[in-house]
Amino acid sequence: GTGGSELPSRDDLALGPANPYERAAAELVQVEAALQRGAAPHVALEALLNAQVEMKACAFEASNGQAELDSMDDLLPLFVFLLLRSNLRAPLACAGLLQDALTADQRLDREGRAVILLDAAARYVAEEWDVSSVVNSRSQHCQQPLEDQQQYKQQAQQQQQQQQDDSQ
């Protein structure tokens, strides 16, 4: 955990070119890019692990060494932020492909946890996140996250339908 330290504030998460989290968001995009290029799944998995390392480093830097992200409770909110800041278009599909490519040992190790985090963040955005109050107050700035949320919801529904079809 953070050992009682606070996670970075909203000001630390401010959007813009000086935002250190942009480095982590850029790393996250490499997951989908690797899969789209037809690279081996381990290349995309390595990109996902690199994105998480970068995210942790950015949080440490943004908090002036006060916050370390250790638990999933610490990681998930920031990962949702990164997912929305990235240009990742099919995070649920990426998570599904990576999950299928993991060995039994990898599923229990950091690779498995990384894929679970990607899947959980994408599902949260698709199924749970209510952006209506944000959209009403900042409609112009939030148009892309709203479009991303709608796209994530469609992907979640398609994946759920595919799983139902596969089980029949």
Side-chain angles (χ1 to χ4, degrees), residues 36-147:
Q36 287 176 339
R37 285 192 313 265
H42 77 272
V43 174
L45 186 58
E46 192 64 35
L48 179 59
L49 293 171
N50 289 341
Q52 288 188 5
V53 167
E54 189 65 38
M55 177 182 68
K56 289 178 180 184
C58 289
F60 192 74
E61 290 170 21
S63 69
N64 293 319
Q66 299 298 310
E68 289 189 44
L69 303 177
D70 295 326
S71 71
M72 287 293 254
D73 290 341
D74 295 338
L75 292 169
L76 187 59
L78 188 52
F79 201 81
V80 167
F81 171 78
L82 290 178
L83 184 60
L84 292 173
R85 291 298 304 147
S86 75
N87 290 324
L88 206 60
R89 293 291 174 211
L92 288 169
C94 291
L97 287 168
L98 292 175
Q99 183 67 32
D100 290 345
L102 293 176
T103 65
D105 287 341
Q106 286 176 320
R107 287 186 178 145
L108 300 175
D109 206 354
R110 68 186 186 112
E111 294 91 347
R113 289 189 302 272
V115 173
I116 287 170
L117 182 60
L118 174 60
D119 184 73
R123 286 185 190 282
Y124 177 78
V125 170
E127 299 169 3
E128 303 293 329
W129 195 35
D130 179 14
V131 296
S132 60
S133 62
V134 177
V135 171
N136 291 336
S137 66
R138 295 183 178 179
S139 61
Q140 189 174 27
H141 298 295
C142 294
Q143 189 61 38
Q144 187 62 43
L146 179 60
E147 290 169 4

